[in-house]
Amino acid sequence: MNENKRIIHVIGMGPGSDDMITKEAKDALDQSDVLIGYNVYLDLLRDNYGYKEMLSTPMKQEVERCRMCFEETIKGKRVSMVCSGDAGIYGMASIMFEISEEYEEEFEIKVIPGITAATSGAAVLGAPLNHDFCVISLSDLLTPWEKIEKRLRAAAEGDFAISIYNPSSKKRHDYLKRACEILMESIEDDRPCGYVKNIGREGTECKVCTLRELSVEEVDMFTTVFVGNSQTRIIDGKLVTPRGYKR
Amino acid sequence: MNENKRIIHVIGMGPGSDDMITKEAKDALDQSDVLIGYNVYLDLLRDNYGYKEMLSTPMKQEVERCRMCFEETIKGKRVSMVCSGDAGIYGMASIMFEISEEYEEEFEIKVIPGITAATSGAAVLGAPLNHDFCVISLSDLLTPWEKIEKRLRAAAEGDFAISIYNPSSKKRHDYLKRACEILMESIEDDRPCGYVKNIGREGTECKVCTLRELSVEEVDMFTTVFVGNSQTRIIDGKLVTPRGYKR
């Protein structure tokens, strides 16, 4: 380890509730002078860390948010970039490494994992991801929709259980319906599915249904969707994908 | 919520280190009379919970281990089934729901998520799963090898980043090599890859390499393997799969 490297933490906070964050993440937050992140996530920290300096940039200014981390670190501050869920799953970890290349200074970017919506949402529904699975985001802000379609088809072809992030937004209200239609090209329309809204936050809601029913459900950007594999069953209202031990 | 239901916790402990377990999981452990799990995982808890009753069954007796949970709960004890990583990712959550069907009594199985090796291992290597990804186990104890091969091909076809669990064991020393050969049918052999051994435990080791190099690496059952997607780069020795923000 190069002693001269300046350390920056990229922290996964989990779903948001204080009891689903790890001690490692808490310790890093405690030791930080500045917390940098998207406002919605910083707000989740104000109760416990409101006394700390907090900096943000609007959505779609992630590059500037990263540069903020490096600039504040160069000033000599201990900086943490905070992400919801896991920092390395649709979080800011990878772009922090990319932006670090712009600087002559050496930084050590320490990624601290957190509970991501695939596992926290799965726990609410039962055990939908208890065998091989895929995680796919329906957001086409940074990914061409054709690539998302290709991955949905590959996930169905491989008989993976699927966790879908960003299933909808104001501008993309019909994306989950379009995704379900692609999946139904090869998956039977009564495949057990489900979704969870506001995981680990106030107003957590969940529903277990079929793929056909899912295709017409109203979901929002705070919803995580789950599609079972060919073995997934509904047991006592829970979505359960067997690992195979009973065989 | 049916008040008559007996609650059983199925707890994901994370990689094993005390600072990567959530408060929710700790609280459930604290409130348990009996901790049931595979011995290797119970051993990780003896320092803090050695005063509690601990019950186990050998590997391949998972069904009996689950029945133990229900029997002890029926006796009036507060029972937790403990799993390493996340209880719902190759863990005991799904089989607990399945075995619950054998009983007339009503149980509420509460799954408590934990940090799984895909995210804790990714954090050690950098950010290899920072876009759509698949998680695939190479263990064919409960899954036909043909199905594993099919999923490897689908994952490559969909250009997913891939996290591989159970890449090897005494009886399956060449499985990672076989998996890499399947992936190299469609993925270039210099694709950035990596692996982490003993995540969050003593003797954590990691390596970043190419798919070709990975195919001849010695990995063990405590190793988690990562294969990048077509956009994955190595930045300052870290494995980084861009989300796309820089575009």
Side-chain angles (χ1 to χ4, degrees):
Chain A
M1 194 71 62
N2 178 338
E3 292 306 324
N4 300 325
K5 280 190 177 181
R6 300 168 170 87
I7 295 172
I8 302 178
H9 288 101
V10 186
I11 304 175
M13 299 189 303
S17 73
D18 195 47
D19 65 347
M20 287 174 84
I21 189 169
T22 65
K23 182 174 176 299
E24 183 184 31
K26 273 204 177 104
D27 291 345
L29 290 168
D30 292 337
Q31 292 156 22
S32 301
D33 300 312
V34 195
L35 304 179
I36 297 175
Y38 182 48
N39 260 321
V40 175
Y41 307 148
L42 289 177
D43 289 342
L44 297 170
L45 293 170
R46 289 193 202 282
D47 287 353
N48 296 326
Y49 298 98
Y51 64 94
K52 290 189 186 279
E53 184 179 3
M54 294 191 180
L55 299 174
S56 187
T57 64
M59 196 180 259
K60 297 188 186 176
Q61 291 185 29
E62 289 80 10
V63 169
E64 293 69 19
R65 201 178 305 150
C66 292
R67 290 191 182 124
M68 215 177 239
C69 290
F70 294 105
E71 301 300 339
E72 293 298 311
T73 302
I74 289 168
K75 289 180 193 170
K77 296 179 186 174
R78 292 168 301 180
V79 173
S80 287
M81 167 73 90
V82 297
C83 310
S84 73
D86 180 88
I89 298 189
Y90 306 114
M92 302 293 284
S94 61
I95 186 173
M96 282 292 288
F97 286 105
E98 291 179 272
I99 300 298
S100 70
E101 295 186 290
E102 297 179 357
Y103 294 86
E104 284 182 3
E105 293 85 352
E106 279 197 89
F107 298 93
E108 182 187 352
I109 297 166
K110 275 194 181 174
V111 180
I112 297 180
I115 303 283
T116 185
T119 60
S120 55
V124 172
L125 288 171
L129 304 183
N130 219 142
H131 207 314
D132 306 327
F133 67 96
C134 294
V135 176
I136 302 174
S137 168
L138 298 191
S139 171
D140 61 353
L141 290 176
L142 304 168
T143 307
W145 177 256
E146 299 64 34
K147 183 140 205 171
I148 296 169
E149 285 196 354
K150 186 183 176 187
R151 286 179 172 156
L152 288 165
R153 289 193 171 92
E157 170 59 30
D159 190 26
F160 286 95
I162 309 170
S163 177
I164 296 175
Y165 284 47
N166 307 307
S168 180
S169 74
K170 292 187 190 70
K171 289 180 184 170
R172 304 180 290 108
H173 62 280
D174 69 330
Y175 278 27
L176 179 59
K177 183 172 186 296
R178 288 163 62 182
C180 289
E181 283 162 1
I182 290 161
L183 293 174
M184 283 189 282
E185 291 170 6
S186 53
I187 298 176
E188 71 281 3
D189 65 2
D190 61 349
R191 174 71 55 90
C193 295
Y195 61 82
V196 187
K197 290 185 183 183
N198 306 314
I199 300 165
R201 304 184 191 175
E202 262 185 36
T204 301
E205 283 175 52
C206 72
K207 179 170 183 179
V208 170
C209 60
T210 65
L211 184 53
R212 184 188 333 104
E213 291 161 341
L214 185 64
S215 69
V216 295
E217 277 291 333
E218 271 303 314
V219 299
D220 60 24
M221 60 187 294
F222 299 109
T223 305
T224 308
V225 171
F226 295 84
V227 178
N229 71 14
S230 61
Q231 305 305 304
T232 302
R233 297 169 49 218
I234 296 172
I235 299 176
D236 192 21
K238 298 288 188 176
L239 197 59
V240 179
T241 300
R243 175 86 176 89
Y245 292 109
K246 276 191 84 180
R247 258 190 264 123
Chain B
M1 195 71 62
N2 178 338
E3 292 306 324
N4 300 324
K5 281 190 178 180
R6 300 167 172 86
I7 294 172
I8 302 178
H9 289 101
V10 186
I11 303 175
M13 299 190 300
S17 73
D18 196 46
D19 65 347
M20 287 173 85
I21 188 169
T22 65
K23 182 174 177 297
E24 183 183 32
K26 273 204 177 102
D27 291 346
L29 290 168
D30 292 337
Q31 292 156 22
S32 301
D33 300 313
V34 195
L35 305 179
I36 296 175
Y38 182 48
N39 260 321
V40 175
Y41 307 148
L42 289 177
D43 290 341
L44 296 171
L45 293 171
R46 287 192 203 283
D47 287 353
N48 296 326
Y49 298 98
Y51 64 94
K52 289 187 186 281
E53 185 178 2
M54 294 191 180
L55 299 173
S56 187
T57 64
M59 195 180 259
K60 296 187 186 175
Q61 291 185 30
E62 288 80 9
V63 169
E64 295 68 20
R65 201 178 306 152
C66 293
R67 290 191 182 123
M68 213 177 243
C69 290
F70 294 105
E71 301 301 339
E72 294 298 311
T73 303
I74 288 166
K75 290 180 192 170
K77 296 180 186 172
R78 292 168 300 180
V79 173
S80 288
M81 167 73 89
V82 294
C83 309
S84 74
D86 181 87
I89 297 187
Y90 306 115
M92 302 293 284
S94 61
I95 187 173
M96 283 292 289
F97 286 105
E98 291 178 273
I99 300 298
S100 70
E101 295 184 291
E102 296 179 358
Y103 295 86
E104 284 181 1
E105 294 84 352
E106 278 197 272
F107 298 92
E108 183 186 352
I109 297 167
K110 275 194 181 174
V111 180
I112 297 180
I115 302 283
T116 186
T119 59
S120 55
V124 172
L125 289 172
L129 303 183
N130 219 141
H131 206 316
D132 305 328
F133 67 96
C134 293
V135 176
I136 302 174
S137 168
L138 298 190
S139 171
D140 61 352
L141 291 175
L142 303 167
T143 307
W145 179 255
E146 299 63 36
K147 184 140 205 172
I148 296 168
E149 284 196 354
K150 185 182 174 187
R151 285 178 173 156
L152 288 165
R153 290 193 172 91
E157 169 59 30
D159 190 26
F160 286 96
I162 308 171
S163 177
I164 296 175
Y165 284 46
N166 308 307
S168 180
S169 75
K170 292 186 191 72
K171 290 180 184 169
R172 304 179 290 107
H173 62 279
D174 68 330
Y175 278 27
L176 180 59
K177 184 173 186 297
R178 288 163 63 183
C180 289
E181 284 162 0
I182 290 161
L183 294 174
M184 284 188 283
E185 292 170 5
S186 52
I187 297 176
E188 71 283 4
D189 66 3
D190 61 348
R191 174 71 56 90
C193 294
Y195 61 83
V196 188
K197 290 185 183 185
N198 306 313
I199 300 166
R201 303 184 193 177
E202 263 185 36
T204 301
E205 283 174 54
C206 72
K207 179 170 182 179
V208 170
C209 60
T210 64
L211 184 54
R212 185 190 330 106
E213 291 161 341
L214 185 65
S215 69
V216 295
E217 277 292 335
E218 270 304 314
V219 299
D220 61 23
M221 60 187 294
F222 300 108
T223 305
T224 308
V225 172
F226 297 83
V227 177
N229 70 13
S230 60
Q231 304 306 304
T232 302
R233 298 168 49 217
I234 296 171
I235 299 176
D236 192 22
K238 298 288 189 175
L239 197 58
V240 179
T241 300
R243 174 89 175 91
Y245 293 109
K246 276 192 82 180
R247 256 191 265 123

